[in-house]
Amino acid sequence: MQINLTTDYALRCVIFLSQKDDYVSSKEVSDAIKISREFVQRIMQKLKKAGLVGHSMGANGGYRLAKKPDEIKLIEIFEVMEDTMRINRCMEEDTYCSIGMPESCNMHHFYEELQEKLDRYFAENTIGNILNSNYVLD
């Protein structure tokens, strides 16, 4: 499993915004995290649609967090940015199994337990945890 680069940038955008008290332009975000302004705007549109980022037009406009950093769970960002967070195809909703017997497959049970731990880890940790290097590891 590898988190895509767009998700990494989305996390960096949210972390950057969490360190600001007011609206920040897409250019300022772009300069800070070293990606194009257009890419920042595409990321911010997704985050805005999910209710994680607010937007204001005008000379003093830009983007800001719609929630406090401690209220933004990592899973919220992953769900917006990733097509899937499943570690294996058999963990998808349709439970596709190439051998046709997930209920008796040792690997399936291993993946299932690992997936539950990852889901819980991403659901329990917030942007605030990252900012404070205070991760929930259990």
Side-chain angles (χ1 to χ4, degrees):
M1 178 179 117
Q2 186 174 35
I3 295 167
N4 73 49
L5 192 55
T6 304
T7 302
D8 181 65
Y9 288 145
L11 289 163
R12 293 172 190 278
C13 286
V14 171
I15 288 169
F16 180 75
L17 291 178
S18 70
Q19 297 168 334
K20 302 296 180 181
D21 293 327
D22 208 356
Y23 286 97
V24 178
S25 71
S26 56
K27 180 178 180 347
E28 190 175 347
V29 177
S30 169
D31 291 345
I33 64 172
K34 311 286 189 260
I35 62 173
S36 75
R37 184 175 176 203
E38 293 77 20
F39 200 22
V40 166
Q41 290 171 334
R42 284 195 310 247
I43 290 169
M44 292 299 188
Q45 282 297 82
K46 288 182 177 186
L47 295 173
K48 179 183 166 205
K49 186 175 179 181
L52 300 173
V53 169
H55 181 252
S56 177
M57 301 291 280
N60 295 319
Y63 300 96
R64 71 174 179 187
L65 293 185
K67 299 178 177 183
K68 294 177 183 172
D70 288 335
E71 297 171 347
I72 301 175
K73 297 182 181 300
L74 299 181
I75 194 74
E76 293 178 272
I77 297 170
F78 292 139
E79 287 174 346
V80 169
M81 304 306 296
E82 293 286 336
D83 291 331
T84 183
M85 286 299 294
R86 305 294 123 213
I87 60 168
N88 189 288
R89 177 71 174 89
C90 69
M91 294 292 103
E92 296 293 343
E93 280 188 39
D94 65 4
T95 63
Y96 170 81
C97 179
S98 61
I99 61 171
M101 46 197 222
E103 56 284 336
S104 63
C105 177
N106 290 335
M107 285 310 300
H108 180 83
H109 296 299
F110 173 77
Y111 291 144
E112 197 169 46
E113 189 172 323
L114 181 57
Q115 187 68 57
E116 288 172 9
K117 288 179 187 224
L118 280 172
D119 290 347
R120 189 170 53 251
Y121 183 78
F122 293 140
E124 291 176 357
N125 281 285
T126 66
I127 293 299
N129 292 120
I130 291 175
L131 289 169
N132 297 318
S133 298
N134 184 27
Y135 318 111
V136 178
L137 297 175
D138 188 35

